[in-house]
Structure formats: C-alpha cells, structure tokens
Amino acid sequence: MMKVLDGVVMELQDLALPLLGDVIPTADPAVAFKDVAAAFLVGAMPRKEGMERKDLLAANVEIFKVQGEALDKYARKDVKVLVVGNPANTNALICSHYAPSIPRENFTAMTRLDQNRAQAALAARLNVKVDKVKNVIIWGNHSSTQYPDAAHATVALPSGVKPVLAAVNDEKWLNTSFVETIQKRGAAVIAARKMSSAMSAAKAAGDHMRDWWMGTNSGEWVSMGVLSDGSYGIPKDIVFSFPVVVQNKQYKIVQGLPINDFARSKLTATANELEEERTEANNVLHKK
C-alpha cells in the first residue's frame, strides 16, 4: 500500500494547506507513532458478508494490538487517541488494553459522524442551517443499536431558541423515522456509493479531535465514545457514547439529564451489545 500512500501524500501537498508542515508516509509503527500527541486510528478490518462479529473482532484484535503496543512504546503519554475504524467502540477498548502506560480515558471512539448526521437531519426537518441545532446526543455504540436523542436538543429559530421537541412537534417521527434513519445511515451510504462514508467521516474525525483539543462552547456538548464510569447506569469499562463537555483538553460526561422510559430502553439495548462485544473481545485476548 505504500505506492497508494505516496498518492495520498501528493494530494495533501496539492491541497496547499497553510497549516500542514510535513508528511511522513510510513508502514513502520515505530516511525508512525513516535512522539505523537494525537492519533487517528482509521484502519480496521471491515465486516464482510457472512462474517460473524466474533470473527470481525478477532481480526481487529490483531490490528489494534500492534497499534496499541506502538502507542505505548513511542507516543507521548498524554496522547489523545481517536478510533475511527469499526467496530470503533470495542476497538478503542482493545487498543487501550495494549497501551497500559497511557490513561484509559485517552482512548475514544468516534460517534461524531452520527451526531453530525442527526444534527443535519433535524436541521433539514426544521428548515434551518445545521449550526442552528445544538446538543443532539448519540448514546451507545457506533452501530445500528445507537440511540440518536433529540430530547435535550435546541434549535435557534427566527422567533428565538426553542427545544427541538417543541419545534418538530412530532414525537412519533422523532422516536421512529428519525432514530432509524440515523441508525442505518452508514449502511445507506454504502448501498448508494458502494463504499463506506469518506468525506463525512473525515470531517467528523476532525470535529471530534478539534473539540477535544480546543474545548466545547459554553452551554454546548458533543458526543464521544468514552470509557464508561457508570454514568446513567451504563456498565463500567465499556466504551460508550455519552454527551461530554471539554475544557483544558479534558472531557467530562454531562450529568443529570433526564432519561425517559423510551430512552432507557434504547440505552440498555446498545449497552448490552457493547457488553457482548467486550466479552467476545476478551475471549480473543485471552487466547493470545
């Protein structure tokens, strides 16, 4: 793949980005991870037709073992790690296992693409620009069990800022079509273009790391897959998407949001899936 990578380097040079200082194309983890402050782990084994989830996890353990060990050995100890390659949540957990000298909370999974999709869908429904919609939440796994939650979101309308629930005024749509569309959006993109999301995923990865680095705006939160501390009754030690605020490069899970029965059922379902993935991943790890 080095020849392909050389083509990517050419494109990066040709973009003439004023902030881009240097590019080092390499297939050597020792070179790739040396002194890195931010790591975007994009590569993973994609799920193929007929592949069981345990087989997918087994293949990804091999990938994230190499990357975790390299991070542990060569990266800065305060490195911020964003796992993009799916299954991202459990891959982040696996990677942290192989990098014991780096704080586990420094390993995150990307659910920002799902948040951006949800924000865009609500903006389209309300006929406003996407930046007028704030505080949509993605709970759980970056999979079809995720729960896109508009219950705490707001929208800036010409008449003032309103809760999205009141502005949409269609709870059935929010609990069915909206949720299902966001849950299945990745599959819809693949069906349409025969490849996974590319530009939208890259934008979301940039959004995630920028907010982790620069902080969130006052009164706003973003969704990140982070190590659960038991908040909202979610089992500890799974990487679960929560709403977070960021200050001084440290994220904190937003606390105290009311969770209704419908939302609770969705959180439970996605947490159960992540616990199953963790069990399967641990089974693979213990065979090593």
Side-chain angles (χ1 to χ4, degrees), residues 17 19 80 164 167-168 196 220:
L17 297 167
L19 297 180
K80 292 175 169 29
V164 162
V168 171
S196 295
E220 296 180 23

Side-chain angles (χ1 to χ4, degrees), residues 217-280:
N217 294 327
S218 178
E220 296 180 23
W221 56 68
V222 294
S223 297
M224 290 171 57
V226 303
L227 192 68
S228 172
D229 61 359
S231 293
Y232 296 98
I234 300 304
K236 292 184 178 181
D237 295 331
I238 56 175
V239 173
F240 191 93
S241 183
F242 291 98
V244 303
V245 293
V246 186
Q247 282 187 313
N248 302 319
K249 298 185 180 180
Q250 301 294 320
Y251 63 77
K252 289 184 179 177
I253 296 170
V254 176
Q255 299 293 332
L257 297 175
I259 305 294
N260 63 26
D261 290 344
F262 176 79
R264 175 55 61 192
S265 69
K266 296 295 186 184
L267 266 64
T268 299
T270 193
N272 287 346
E273 181 181 62
L274 282 166
E275 285 194 291
E276 289 170 13
E277 286 187 16
R278 180 183 61 187
T279 299
E280 289 169 1

Side-chain angles (χ1 to χ4, degrees), residues 207-225:
D207 289 346
H208 176 117
M209 193 65 78
R210 181 199 63 227
D211 287 340
W212 196 358
W213 209 265
M214 305 302 293
T216 48
N217 294 327
S218 178
E220 296 180 23
W221 56 68
V222 294
S223 297
M224 290 171 57

Side-chain angles (χ1 to χ4, degrees), residues 173-188:
W173 179 82
L174 285 169
N175 286 347
T176 55
S177 297
F178 168 67
V179 170
E180 291 161 11
T181 297
I182 306 309
Q183 287 177 334
K184 298 175 182 176
R185 185 68 164 187

Side-chain angles (χ1 to χ4, degrees), residues 25 28 33 50-51 67 86 110 145 157-158 217 257-258 262 268 286:
D28 182 352
F33 290 105
M51 182 182 276
Q67 297 190 0
N86 288 320
M110 189 172 85
T145 68
L157 298 171
N217 294 327
L257 297 175
F262 176 79
T268 299
H286 291 145

Side-chain angles (χ1 to χ4, degrees), residues 51-67:
M51 182 182 276
E52 295 289 329
R53 192 167 57 186
K54 63 184 177 184
D55 299 324
L56 179 67
L57 285 164
N60 278 295
V61 165
E62 294 298 330
I63 294 169
F64 286 90
K65 177 177 186 287
V66 171
Q67 297 190 0

Side-chain angles (χ1 to χ4, degrees), residues 86-100:
N86 288 320
N89 296 54
T90 300
N91 285 343
L93 195 67
I94 291 166
C95 197
S96 71
H97 173 84
Y98 287 106

